[in-house]
Amino acid sequence: MCEGKKIILGITGGIAAYKSAELTREFVKKGAQVTVIMTKNATKFITPLTLQTLSGNPVYTDTFSLTGEWEIGHISMAEAADIIVIAPATANIIGKIASGIADDLLSTTVMATRAPVLICPAMNTNMYANIIVRANCEKLASIGYYIMDADYGELACKTEGAGRLPPLDDIAEEVASILTEKDLAGENVLITAGPTREPFDPIRFISNYSSGKMGYAFAVMAKRRGADVTLITGPTVLPVPSGVKVHEVTTAVSMRDEVMKHFKESTIIIKVAAVADYRPAVLSDSKIKKDDGPFNITLERNPDIIAEIGKIKGDRILVGFAMETEDLLKNAYDKLLAKNMDLIVANDLSRPGSGFQYDTNSVRVIDRSGTVRKLPLMTKTKIADRVLDRIKKLRKDSKETGVV
Ligand code: CTP
């Protein structure tokens, strides 16, 4: 999303200015061209040299030290930017922008741009709560500026409260989201992710190796593209994606119940979860103690969630996953037909770098006509984006023909 994008990072004078070095790295790592503008006070907290080294570009600090050529240069920089991010943003810069004051390079650049501006506040908690700062933030939000909420926690002044710079991952995600076309706006996307756990006593369960990474990637990308996203997830160690409604479940039965709760309002359902097909028939109340003989567990069938949905899906788009170790295409296509899916993403577990735990995957996407599209090894985020492209195409075709 950030690849090739021109980001102006404005840094103002607060203790969180040191974090903007990491943010610069993050943007550069994602392929963005970063130009840093620092206010005079920001240079007291972190040196321009650090930002210049990390961004690989000159750092601009003050309009009055610029030659005539650069005076014009910063206007064209403001015009060429895809986004301006101010992190950290002090009460002062927020107040200046809200009042239309342009008295230094950063405030002048903000005034001269037509690009979206993302403001990431960081300040003392009383300042952040101050009614004037609140009013300024509300004013800016109401006229189209993007303003993140400051984070809650311990502040440099040793008080606790709201005022910390939002987490850098959240800032990076917000930037990616702002730069992404909202082509899934109006869709309610229901996603399942992760493994299920099927317990047989209070401390043991049967499960699988699913990490949840593929399902979470769908949630992040669908949200970026403007969809309203509900994520129903089995146990994972992944951070909750911002802006996504998350419901945690453990067993296949609890996952089915949660899916059914949200089924009605959904328009697209993507079932990435690795649902256990069987559960122990008996759940012991107390820990099962060992003895010398073998130990047997009788298993019984779990509900097949996607098959249930397939029967009642109406004009919702239903996407499933198939994990196979042999006969990938045939098995996957049979599953698509048997469970009335619109698309199935077939995952060949025998390919290196594919499947559970990895950050990458290589899949085939099969539609109802049997057409197979092969996606080479790529990150799960990119796979999710490409599959969402296919879903969007199906939606467009169904609107034109009236058939899903
Ligand atoms: N699935 C589901 N409920 C289950 C099992 C699977 O909703 N009880 C969904 C998965 O989320 C996935 C699709 O069905 O989208 C295919 O899952 P997979 O385990 O590959 O296939 P199964 O249908 O369970 O068939 P088999 O295990 O026999 O290969």
Side-chain angles (χ1 to χ4, degrees), residues 22-71:
E22 195 59 44
L23 193 59
T24 304
R25 272 181 68 123
E26 204 43 47
F27 289 148
V28 170
K29 227 163 64 188
K30 291 194 156 90
Q33 295 172 36
V34 183
T35 303
V36 175
I37 298 178
M38 300 174 78
T39 62
K40 215 188 237 159
N41 283 343
T43 62
K44 297 188 177 134
F45 290 92
I46 183 166
T47 70
L49 183 62
T50 305
L51 281 316
Q52 182 168 310
T53 310
L54 292 173
S55 68
N57 284 316
V59 170
Y60 302 103
T61 51
D62 193 336
T63 21
F64 304 111
S65 64
L66 297 173
T67 63
E69 192 186 323
W70 283 112
E71 281 277 6

Side-chain angles (χ1 to χ4, degrees), residues 271-273 275-277 303-306 320-324 335 339:
K271 288 233 60 247
V272 196
V275 185
D277 288 320
D304 188 328
I305 308 171
I306 202 163
F321 266 69
M323 286 277 184
E324 306 289 345
K335 256 176 220 178
K339 301 184 187 188

